[in-house]
Amino acid sequence: MRKLFLPLMAMVAVAVAVLNSGCNAAMTQGLVSAGNKLLQASAITDAQIEAYVSDFIRQMDAQNTIATGNDPYNVRLQRIAGPINNRDGINIKVYKTPDVNAFAVADGSIRVYSGLMDVMSDEEVLGVIGHEIGHVKLNHTRRAFQDAIIASAVIDAAGAVAGSTSPLSESAFGRLAGALKSSNFSQRQELEADDYAYNFLRAHGLNPWAMALSFEKLQQMERQAGGHPTGGLAQLFSTHPDLDLRIRRMTERAIGDGYPKPAPGGSTRL
């Protein structure tokens, strides 16, 4: 149903734009070009998505300072996530920025902001990373990327009415980058990612209590912000709804499976 709906949405968007354009030749040509882009976006292949995502993450890495070598943030990242980093298609790096955030994209790249590490314990950071891995492995990030491409193409179709026919403008790429960093997932997808992350951590010899602990910290931070977090923290919360439910689910699983709850500052290794 999804594959049928997206091309239909593209054609409807172009048809509406044509009707509202006055139908002069230049506008019509621009709209046809935009319509083709919409249809191409709806039928984008996995290989094309991977190419777009690789370009995006390269640009993001170039625009940010990455913790490397003996940098304390990199040393800590390897201590936290060493057993899962650069394995199974996952690569994790730290951006040195005060923002409290993290994101993942479809090629398995996960970027954790140093501001997040500053306010979370090792276990809590691991829980955030695990959850992002869940979204990658379940293809949630891939579908979100395709939706972002289509949304950008729809905007370009509207821009064609005003005479803009550029196939890929810098502003369009900027919209795509913003969408990738702030993708909103459904409640079902969030719970699926939690469950995948729990099993993934177990399989790699890491304590899955990290999941519940990370959600507890997010809830604490939300309360400290008066229920209205702002900036990067607000973006992080926008993709993590219903924390009470998720804390309960992960806690019950960890207890039921007999895992010891780490003491504050304890090890993530089993």
Side-chain angles (χ1 to χ4, degrees):
M1 180 62 71
R2 178 184 174 85
K3 291 182 179 179
L4 293 173
F5 173 74
L6 294 177
L8 178 61
M9 183 184 74
M11 290 184 285
V12 170
V14 174
V16 170
V18 169
L19 290 173
N20 292 331
S21 69
C23 295
N24 71 46
M27 288 182 180
T28 300
Q29 182 179 2
L31 286 164
V32 169
S33 175
N36 287 335
K37 182 179 177 182
L38 279 163
L39 291 169
Q40 291 167 3
S42 67
I44 192 169
T45 67
D46 286 348
Q48 289 171 316
I49 288 177
E50 289 171 7
Y52 276 119
V53 171
S54 294
D55 286 343
F56 165 73
I57 202 66
R58 278 197 295 268
Q59 180 171 323
M60 287 295 297
D61 285 353
Q63 292 176 353
N64 287 276
T65 301
I66 298 174
T68 60
N70 293 325
D71 185 289
Y73 285 109
N74 185 51
V75 171
R76 186 179 171 206
L77 175 68
Q78 301 314 315
R79 181 175 75 242
I80 294 169
I84 57 179
N85 199 8
N86 298 312
R87 300 181 184 180
D88 297 324
I90 298 297
N91 76 90
I92 311 166
K93 296 180 181 179
V94 178
Y95 285 168
K96 298 183 70 172
T97 170
D99 291 342
V100 179
N101 210 346
F103 70 91
V105 291
D107 70 344
S109 296
I110 296 172
R111 300 298 181 256
V112 181
Y113 293 19
S114 60
L116 181 75
M117 298 180 74
D118 288 340
V119 299
M120 285 191 165
S121 70
D122 287 3
E123 294 81 10
E124 292 159 354
V125 172
L126 178 63
V128 171
I129 290 172
H131 180 74
E132 297 297 340
I133 289 172
H135 281 310
V136 170
K137 293 295 188 179
L138 294 170
N139 287 324
H140 297 164
T141 53
R142 185 178 297 274
R143 290 194 290 269
F145 186 87
Q146 184 180 26
D147 289 344
I149 292 175
I150 291 173
S152 177
V154 169
I155 293 172
D156 285 351
V161 176
S164 174
T165 60
S166 174
L168 184 61
S169 64
E170 289 186 11
S171 62
F173 187 86
R175 290 193 301 270
L176 189 59
L180 282 171
K181 289 192 295 180
S182 59
S183 299
N184 290 315
F185 300 106
S186 70
Q187 179 69 25
R188 177 183 58 80
Q189 288 175 318
E190 295 289 6
L191 297 180
E192 288 175 348
D194 292 349
D195 288 332
Y196 189 100
Y198 182 97
N199 293 329
F200 187 89
L201 296 180
R202 287 185 61 184
H204 289 79
L206 296 170
N207 193 332
W209 262 105
M211 299 302 300
L213 296 177
S214 68
F215 296 145
E216 288 176 356
K217 174 53 72 71
L218 288 173
Q219 188 175 66
Q220 176 187 346
M221 294 164 67
E222 182 182 40
R223 288 169 178 167
Q224 290 174 344
H228 301 287
T230 59
L233 184 58
Q235 179 175 308
L236 191 63
F237 277 111
S238 72
T239 63
H240 293 83
D242 201 355
L243 289 172
D244 283 328
L245 169 64
R246 299 167 76 187
I247 291 169
R248 185 172 67 253
R249 292 178 77 251
M250 294 294 98
T251 297
E252 289 175 353
R253 284 196 66 179
I255 292 174
D257 291 336
Y259 285 99
K261 185 175 182 178
S267 175
T268 58
R269 307 291 177 87
L270 294 175

